[in-house]
Amino acid sequence: MKIGISLDMVNVHHQEPNRNRYESKYYWDELYPMIATAGFRAVEIPFDPFWIFRGGSGVPFTKYCIEVKFETVAKFVAHLQANGIEKVAGIHFNPTIFMRNENLDFYFGASGYFGGEAIRYAAELGCDYIAITPTPPYGLVQHYHGKNPTWEGDFMNRTIQLINGFATIAQEKGIKISLRNEYWSVLRSQDSQTFLSQLDDSMYFNIDSANLSIAGQNSTELLKNNASKIGSIYLTDTAFMDDNETWKTPLPEYPQHRATQVFKDIGLGKVDLSGFCQTLKEINYDGWAIVSNRQTREPMRALLRSRKTISDLGIEISE
């Protein structure tokens, strides 16, 4: 099993004092050697089209930003390596940013275009996979399209076409696609076997430990039953229990029923990460396991907490 850490620990969308420093290249240039010093030699990068339109080209989340600051992707990769980061393991693409109105053509058009860009960016970075969020949150899609009585079927049919289109691009670029399991997905209301049967055979699964816990799924059973189709893993943590159907709300990452956050830095929640990792060893999983602290309050502390937790789990970090 190969261990990396996601750059989603730098939450560029969260407002706080001095948050704008995250948009500057100097912040990231300081962070890269810190990541390596904490023992992580590989990273996953979120692909976020927001930074194409927003500016803030210091944020390394799109090819556009990289070319502004480094001229070429190759020079960026060399910069990472010079700072101790030997590999960009993968990219995460989330099309939720485009679910913002009642026009499904806009959502699928933008998702298709930028998803393709994300796959091509991943290939240039030398990634092994791209993790794709297959749908926005159920409640968000329902918010904009719930007036249509057949919205779920219509949306899922077009989602299948979208994902299969990604598969074609990924195969051309030699990139593995891993579909994420998120507890708020529209997929949760669907017959999973029917959905999966319509996808290209090249698809793999991305398994997220915290999302499995929140959805009440048996991680041991799921990992063993799908061992041959696991494309990547997220080591995530949570203490959240969805006892109010938060997954059906428009913003399930920020529960409206109580003031809490869904995800915690790994080691601070209640997920049985020891049992989860033991199962990965039992099925001889040798792919990427990415530490994700997407709602952390302090990236530098999250790095150290993550390294300690990985050590406590008896996992050796190696590329």
Side-chain angles (χ1 to χ4, degrees), residues 16-89:
E16 61 182 21
N18 299 316
R19 185 204 63 84
N20 287 349
R21 70 191 187 281
Y22 295 158
E23 299 181 22
S24 301
K25 182 174 177 290
Y26 79 83
Y27 177 84
W28 296 90
D29 283 346
E30 181 181 21
L31 179 63
Y32 299 139
M34 296 287 187
I35 292 172
T37 301
F40 296 98
R41 302 293 179 177
V43 297
E44 180 187 276
I45 298 178
F47 182 88
D48 191 345
F50 177 84
W51 298 102
I52 294 176
F53 308 110
R54 168 68 171 78
S57 58
V59 182
F61 291 175
T62 69
K63 182 180 177 181
Y64 164 79
C65 295
I66 293 305
E67 291 178 337
V68 168
K69 297 299 185 183
F70 295 93
E71 296 182 348
T72 67
V73 174
K75 288 183 179 180
F76 172 62
V77 172
H79 181 71
L80 293 179
Q81 293 172 344
N83 283 280
I85 297 175
E86 300 168 0
K87 174 80 172 175
V88 180

Side-chain angles (χ1 to χ4, degrees), residues 28 40 48-49 60 74 84 93 107 134 140 150 156 160-161 168-169 186 191 198 220 241 250 259 262 266 290 294 298:
W28 296 90
F40 296 98
D48 191 345
F93 174 66
Y107 170 77
L140 186 62
T150 62
M156 289 310 303
I160 291 167
Q161 295 173 25
T168 299
I169 302 172
V186 177
D191 183 314
Q198 298 178 73
T220 299
M241 296 182 64
V262 170
I266 66 165
I290 303 296
R294 59 187 291 166
E298 178 46 62

Side-chain angles (χ1 to χ4, degrees), residues 200-229:
D200 188 275
D201 291 338
S202 65
M203 293 295 166
Y204 287 82
F205 304 130
N206 169 279
I207 309 298
D208 181 308
S209 55
N211 274 288
L212 283 181
S213 175
I214 296 169
Q217 293 181 282
N218 185 313
S219 63
T220 299
E221 181 179 305
L222 188 144
L223 289 170
K224 290 183 175 181
N225 290 344
N226 296 281
S228 64
K229 293 295 289 182

Side-chain angles (χ1 to χ4, degrees), residues 96 118 155 161 260 270 281:
T96 298
F155 184 81
Q161 295 173 25
T260 188
K270 297 181 179 180
K281 293 178 182 178

